Structures are given as C-alpha cells and as structure tokens.
Amino acid sequence: MNNRPIRANRPIDNKSQGTNQKRQAGPPRQQKQPLPQQPSKQPLAKKPKVAGRGEGVGAGSRSAIGKTSQLISPALSQKKHKPTVSSRRSPNPLSVALKKWLADSLAFSLLFGGSALFSVSAWFSYQLILNPDVGIWLNQFLPASTQIPLQPNDYLYSLEEIREELKAVGRFFGEPLPLPNREVLGDMSNSVTTARLEERLFAQNPYLKPWRSFLLPHESLVQAPVDLLIPVMQTRESSTTTPCPTGCKEIVELRVYKSVQTPYQAVGTPELYRLVYQLPVNGPAESFVLASLIGTRANQQGGNRPLPLTDITTFKNKVPESGVWFNLYGNRLVGDTQVPYGHIIHYNPKHYHLSSMLEWKSAAGEHPIWENVTGGPYPELLVEQTMGLEPQFSIYQVRPRRFVPNPIELVSISLDQEVVDHYAYRRAIRLARSGLWSPALSLMEPLKKNSGTGGDYPQNWPALAEAQLQLIQFHASITDAQATAAWASPSQKVLAGLIDGRWSEALNVVQSSSLNQTELLNLLQADGGRIKNRIQAALLENPEEPDLQAWGALILVAQQGRSEAIAWLETQSQASPDNKTRIRQLLD
C-alpha cells in the first residue's frame, strides 16, 4: 500500500484510484519527503459525488477527511480569533487625550498662522503705500526685474553723495543747519497732552508696561531723526562794494533734506537723506538797499543787479512757535559802513516747505530781531532803519493766511490806513507819519482809554488801531529818552528836542549863550528834511503856537535866507505882533 499521505482537501474518485494502481505496477520510484500539512484558512467546499467505479472507496475517504476536518477546525478557529480578542482591549485615556491635544494644536496653529500671514501682508501693503522707504529696503532683496519702481525724489543720499552731486555741477554746500522733524515740532500742545495721557495710562495700568513698545507709536519710543537745511553755494568774483579777502562765495539755493532710517538699517552706517524741497534765492536789488541811506548820494548810485547772499543763521530765543525762522543775509559796503540786507526765511516742518517771508535792509547796520512790542501772542520782527538820532523801526506781525504749505505771513504795522473815525485819531496819525511820536501818543492814548464810554469817543478800538498805538509808543519811548538825556553838545540837545517835538525846550537852548548862531545854522542846514517835515506837520495841527512859529522861521533862514523867512512870517495870520517882533530878533 502506498505510504503517501492523503490530502484532506481533495476527495479521491475512481479516476485517481486507477492512476494510483498504475503507479504501483511500474518500476519503483524514489519516494519524496512528505510536505508539512498546512491548515486551510477557510473550510473547503464539498464537491459533488461522482457516480461510478470506486464509489465505496471514495465514500470511506470522505468520511476520514471529514473527521480530520472536524479535528483541525477548532484549532484554526482559535488561532484566527486570538488577534480579535487582543484588539478589543480598552484604549489608554492618556493616549486619547494626547491625540486630541495634538489635533487641536495643529488646527489652532493653522488658523493662527493664516491670520498672521494675512495681517503681515495687509500691514506691508499699508506701509508700502504710505512709506516708500519700505520699498527701498525691499529692493535690496529683489532681482532687478521685479523691483518696486521709485520716483526720482524717492532716492536716498548720504552727505558724501550730495557733495559729489553738487561738485559735478560746479557747486558745493555750506554748513548744514539742523531742522526739527515735523513729528517732533508740530502742535506742541497736542504733544504735551498726548504725553500726559500716556503717562496716566501706564500709571493706572501697570500690567500694560511690558506691552509699551507694542501699544505706543514708534515715534514715541525712539528719538526722531534730524532733518537738514543745506545752503548750496557757488564761487563769485570780489568787488569794491561786496569785497571778500579770499574765496568769495554766495548762496544760490536752499535745500531741505529729510532724514530717513530705512528698515533694518545696520548700526554705524551713514545717515541717509531724501531731497524734499528746493528754494532758489537771489539777493535784493542794490537800489533797494541804498534807498535806506537817507540824505546820501548813494540813492542815485544803485542799480537793479541783485547783491550776493553770503551767510545764513537761525533765529533763536524770542521767536514765534510756528516753524523755524532763518536770516539769509549779505553786506554792502557804503563808504566805511557795512549795510546789511537779506531775506527772512520761514520753514514749515509739517509740509517741508521753505518760504521767503520778507526782503529787508538796515541803514543802521543792525540785523532784524524778534521782540514782543504789542503784547500779542507772538513776538514781532523789528528791522531798524535809524539814522543818527532819528529812530525808525519797521515792525512786522505774524498773521494767518489761507495757504496750506505756509499758512502765515509777515505784515508791517502801517500808519497809512485809518480805522477810527475821530478827529483826534486822524491828527495823531498825521503827526506820527511826520515823526512826532510823543505828540501823537498824547492824542491817541485818551482815545483808547475812553473808547466805548459814549459821548464823542469811538465806540470800539480795533486791533489795527491798537497795533498803531503800540508802534507810536515804541518810537515815542526812544525819542523821549533822547530828549531827556544829558548831552555834552548843545546842538545835539537842540536836535533831540526838535525830534521829540519839544519846541519850547529847544528854543530855550538857542536863546541861551551855550549855543551860538553859527552852530545853529550848521545844524539846520545839515537837516535832510527830518526837522523841516516835523515843523510843517506841527504847524498844520497847531498854527497858533508861538515857539513853533519861531522854529518855522529859523529853518527857512538856514536853508533859504532871511528874506524868505521874513516873507513867510508875514503870512502867518495866527502869529501875534509881539511874537513876530521876537522872531525877527532871533533871525538877526
């Protein structure tokens, strides 16, 4: 009988039985080692019975196979269901919580990252619109084909680059002057109020101090950069009227450079600036400067050529708070006297705007100063034109105007306009125009004091009338101080009295033995019209005053002769016969 094991998953039929018998009849073959029997993972399906020969044997075999399958099936069933039992164990709570936390963290990170990316993109777009410096910084990292386009005024320069640029056109710059940043100057009251609110906020909420750098604007945490005013200069030729020992130069342009700190600028790198404003400048005409020299031949010698501007300084101490004020000036030599002239320059930091506010000159050789003359909120600009004992000041007030880049202007306090309808006021204005400041002041002060009280006095006192009163009072204080001063020369005493309108005091000095007739005639002949105009204006207002009539005759004697003086005296109907006799004795 064959020792080969019988396969459990294959029934034996008649055909297979015959084949086995044939194999037994042949020559013996080498038997193979039996293969290990592997259990079937799934129960085998029963094949249908085959009718025919060997049915009995097949039935026995199927019976044996069936029993074997019943023995193998429980073992296979147990082995199959073991992993299922282990997979149904209860999960670890710590592992479940960790997985949930990781999932929540991932979702939150994605949400936060997306929000942050959107916020950064929006902030960068906003900065790119308002601050072109961000684009300048970003261009350092972008290829040439994708760089952000910039306008010519967006480029930044160092001082060395500015110097090289000017050198290429034959110019150079002088000493740069610092300018306050517009965020620093601005409205000082608002800045103080904001600082107080910030201090109170952090004092009442200490927990906000760690977040100070995030809550406050960048300008409140760092020192603001300093802008520059750079005078652009060029060489010029020396002349007899505007001499210079070596290296003659003149200022032809003023430039405002804004200091720019690009994002992530390395420490120690040169300061960068952007050109924000240019103001070409020329000096005043020579005829304008020489016109202030009253009584000299220089009035006819000046031409229309502009005089050079050589220096610029910043006004300090008493100055208006609206912006920054500069004095751009030069000097013209007249004989042995230096006559200064120039422009008053105003800088508005809110709009980076430069303006020439006033063209000035000073026959007194003095530069303009700021002084509070009228007692108003702003000081006034004083330009002195004094010649000898004749005080003459031009006073300019700061007044608003409708011009956004520079909303202020300098307006001179003028005596040409009459704003009060009163006889005494009109008399005072006429006397002040002639230089009789003290008599004009004595007429105008009672009007202001009694205005609005009814009667013959004015109903109100306009601001221009007050400014005119302050102008008259300023000059009257000077002439009064000169008239009461102790003079070593009698002629100077007489001149000071005549300038202040003190006719009687001056005549008393003439009648005394301290002043001879020759000195008096020389004094009156040297008059360039200042004393004569005062006497004529006073005679129109007070024709009956005896001492004033005497001075009218004396000045005609000195300038036109005795016959002209006697003829004029006879026409004075207000003069009494006794006074005419006294005046004739003075003329002799």
Side-chain angles (χ1 to χ4, degrees):
M1 188 174 180
N2 193 357
N3 294 329
R4 189 175 182 178
I6 301 173
R7 296 183 180 178
N9 58 350
R10 186 177 180 182
I12 300 174
D13 51 9
N14 294 335
K15 186 177 180 179
S16 59
Q17 186 177 3
T19 306
N20 290 337
Q21 289 177 0
K22 290 180 180 180
R23 289 178 179 175
Q24 290 178 0
R29 298 177 60 183
Q30 186 178 358
Q31 295 182 357
K32 296 182 179 179
Q33 295 294 332
L35 296 175
Q37 187 175 6
Q38 297 182 354
S40 176
K41 293 183 180 180
Q42 294 182 356
L44 299 177
K46 294 181 180 181
K47 291 187 177 183
K49 296 180 180 180
V50 180
R53 190 181 52 184
E55 183 178 0
V57 178
S61 299
R62 284 193 302 271
S63 177
I65 292 173
K67 291 180 180 181
T68 305
S69 300
Q70 291 178 0
L71 293 175
I72 295 173
S73 296
L76 292 176
S77 177
Q78 290 180 358
K79 188 175 181 180
K80 180 177 181 181
H81 289 285
K82 280 183 181 181
T84 305
V85 174
S86 61
S87 64
R88 290 182 181 178
R89 293 179 182 177
S90 60
N92 189 353
L94 183 62
S95 176
V96 174
L98 180 61
K99 292 179 179 180
K100 183 178 180 181
W101 180 83
L102 290 175
D104 294 342
S105 300
L106 180 60
F108 179 77
S109 299
L110 293 176
L111 179 62
F112 179 78
S115 301
L117 181 62
F118 176 78
S119 301
V120 169
S121 301
W123 174 87
F124 183 79
S125 301
Y126 175 78
Q127 291 294 327
L128 192 60
I129 294 174
L130 297 184
N131 186 7
D133 302 334
V134 177
I136 296 174
W137 166 75
L138 187 61
N139 281 345
Q140 304 177 43
F141 311 101
L142 296 177
S145 58
T146 60
Q147 287 191 351
I148 300 174
L150 301 175
Q151 299 297 326
N153 58 351
D154 289 335
Y155 293 106
L156 304 181
Y157 306 92
S158 64
L159 287 178
E160 186 61 30
E161 292 173 338
I162 297 173
R163 183 179 289 106
E164 294 297 327
E165 176 193 3
L166 295 175
K167 185 178 179 181
V169 293
R171 294 181 175 181
F172 55 96
F173 64 78
E175 183 67 24
L177 299 176
L179 294 174
N181 191 274
R182 67 177 181 179
E183 288 82 5
V184 175
L185 195 60
D187 188 356
M188 300 303 295
S189 59
N190 291 340
S191 301
V192 173
T193 303
T194 304
R196 291 177 179 175
L197 292 176
E198 293 174 358
E199 183 179 358
R200 185 182 304 174
L201 173 65
F202 290 103
Q204 296 178 354
N205 304 279
Y207 60 89
L208 294 178
K209 291 183 178 180
W211 307 96
R212 183 184 182 91
S213 59
F214 297 96
L215 298 176
L216 295 182
H218 178 73
E219 294 79 5
S220 301
L221 303 174
V222 298
Q223 184 178 2
V226 178
D227 301 336
L228 294 179
L229 173 66
I230 294 183
V232 179
M233 314 184 78
Q234 68 181 14
T235 59
R236 66 176 179 87
E237 295 182 359
S238 179
S239 63
T240 57
T241 57
T242 56
C244 52
T246 56
C248 294
K249 59 184 180 180
E250 62 177 337
I251 299 175
V252 295
E253 185 182 14
L254 297 177
R255 291 186 178 185
V256 176
Y257 283 91
K258 177 186 176 184
S259 177
V260 178
Q261 292 182 346
T262 58
Y264 305 102
Q265 183 176 351
V267 178
T269 56
E271 289 288 339
L272 299 178
Y273 299 92
R274 176 185 292 114
L275 178 62
V276 292
Y277 198 82
Q278 296 174 265
L279 178 66
V281 291
N282 289 313
E286 188 176 22
S287 57
F288 168 79
V289 175
L290 297 180
S292 62
L293 302 177
I294 303 175
T296 66
R297 295 182 179 180
N299 292 329
Q300 290 78 29
Q301 294 177 357
N304 291 326
R305 67 183 182 91
L307 296 175
L309 300 167
T310 57
D311 296 281
I312 183 170
T313 58
T314 306
F315 283 104
K316 297 181 180 179
N317 300 326
K318 295 181 181 180
V319 293
E321 296 181 357
S322 55
V324 187
W325 298 83
F326 300 94
N327 182 22
L328 178 63
Y329 65 93
N331 290 281
R332 208 273 192 187
L333 186 62
V334 180
D336 297 332
T337 305
Q338 292 281 355
V339 179
Y341 56 87
H343 294 273
I344 302 299
I345 304 296
H346 176 255
Y347 172 65
N348 183 8
K350 292 184 179 180
H351 297 280
Y352 303 104
H353 187 81
L354 279 175
S355 300
S356 178
M357 307 292 289
L358 177 68
E359 196 174 55
W360 66 270
K361 82 276 188 180
S362 175
E366 300 293 336
H367 288 260
I369 61 172
W370 289 94
E371 190 71 32
N372 198 323
V373 178
T374 63
Y378 300 108
E380 287 81 21
L381 182 72
L382 274 67
V383 181
E384 186 177 2
Q385 309 290 351
T386 301
M387 296 288 294
L389 297 181
E390 175 71 25
Q392 184 64 46
F393 289 85
S394 299
I395 302 179
Y396 299 87
Q397 290 182 316
V398 178
R399 294 182 183 177
R401 65 172 176 173
R402 295 182 178 180
F403 183 59
V404 175
N406 187 27
I408 59 174
E409 60 181 344
L410 288 177
V411 180
S412 175
I413 299 177
S414 175
L415 299 175
D416 297 335
Q417 186 177 0
E418 298 179 1
V419 293
V420 177
D421 187 14
H422 196 276
Y423 176 70
Y425 169 80
R426 290 191 291 271
R427 286 184 61 193
I429 292 296
R430 288 195 294 268
L431 291 174
R433 291 170 185 167
S434 301
L436 293 170
W437 304 104
S438 294
L441 182 64
S442 63
L443 289 172
M444 191 172 285
E445 280 186 331
L447 290 178
K448 176 189 175 182
K449 183 178 180 180
N450 298 298
S451 62
T453 59
D456 191 35
Y457 294 102
Q459 296 298 324
N460 54 15
W461 193 247
L464 180 56
E466 177 63 23
Q468 292 172 339
L469 175 61
Q470 296 298 330
L471 175 66
I472 294 172
Q473 186 177 14
F474 180 80
H475 286 84
S477 63
I478 299 175
T479 58
D480 180 71
Q482 293 177 165
T484 57
W487 294 95
S489 172
S491 61
Q492 294 295 314
K493 180 70 175 178
V494 172
L495 179 60
L498 293 175
I499 289 175
D500 196 42
R502 302 190 180 196
W503 317 116
S504 299
E505 293 182 13
L507 190 61
N508 291 334
V509 176
V510 172
Q511 292 175 344
S512 66
S513 59
S514 59
L515 181 65
N516 57 46
Q517 189 176 11
T518 303
E519 289 181 338
L520 177 62
L521 292 177
N522 292 335
L523 174 65
L524 297 179
Q525 287 174 357
D527 174 52
R530 295 169 294 172
I531 297 177
K532 186 176 181 180
N533 292 336
R534 280 176 166 84
I535 294 173
Q536 291 176 348
L539 285 171
L540 291 175
E541 304 299 333
N542 300 305
E544 71 282 354
E545 187 173 346
D547 293 337
L548 185 56
Q549 294 169 358
W551 279 111
L554 287 172
I555 197 164
L556 286 175
V557 167
Q559 295 182 0
Q560 299 182 19
R562 189 176 186 277
S563 59
E564 293 292 335
I566 295 297
W568 174 84
L569 183 60
E570 296 298 330
T571 61
Q572 300 300 309
S573 59
Q574 300 291 335
S576 64
D578 294 339
N579 193 41
K580 289 181 179 180
T581 301
R582 182 175 68 101
I583 294 174
R584 289 191 185 98
Q585 292 176 355
L586 288 173
L587 297 181
D588 295 338

